[in-house]
Amino acid sequence: MMIQQRITEKLTSRFSPVHLEVTNESHMHSVPPNSETHFKVLLVADCFEDKRLVQRHQQVYGALAEELAGGVHALALHTYTPSEWAARGKAPDSPQCLGGSRVDKA
């Protein structure tokens, strides 16, 4: 099973999200083609009510501990309550990576 699919399944099971997007952003980084190392997660769930941002992120990290220990290098988290999501409507765009090896001087 692909890592992106595992992340989606685990987050769906754990959080019963109102809205979920898991985007593989590895292509934006200095990694081999078809890598699954960098992900953006947009997660909207009722369980985030009355939770601070750090608590929300800790919950997600806990759910994805296996993936984070085994190959996922970066996880951009955007966690919202349904009312926050209704007011916002979209997650911020991810910046382009400078790709350390692309900017290192030889």
Side-chain angles (χ1 to χ4, degrees), residues 13-102:
S13 174
R14 172 90 178 259
F15 296 97
S16 301
V18 172
H19 184 82
L20 174 64
E21 295 176 28
V22 178
T23 307
N24 183 349
E25 295 187 330
S26 300
H27 66 280
M28 296 168 50
H29 300 274
S30 186
V31 297
N34 302 314
S35 291
E36 288 190 287
T37 56
H38 297 70
F39 291 92
K40 176 178 173 179
V41 172
L42 167 60
L43 179 57
V44 181
D46 291 318
C47 67
F48 292 146
E49 290 289 343
D50 301 319
K51 299 276 193 264
R52 292 175 294 155
L53 187 61
V54 70
Q55 293 171 311
R56 297 173 187 187
H57 288 195
Q58 287 169 337
Q59 288 179 321
V60 174
Y61 293 143
L64 301 178
E66 183 179 343
E67 287 72 23
L68 291 167
V72 173
H73 172 73
L75 194 60
L77 297 179
H78 305 283
T79 55
Y80 304 103
T81 65
S83 60
E84 291 168 341
W85 178 242
R88 180 174 203 92
K90 73 174 210 140
D93 292 331
S94 296
Q96 287 293 322
C97 177
L98 294 178
S101 63
R102 293 183 188 151

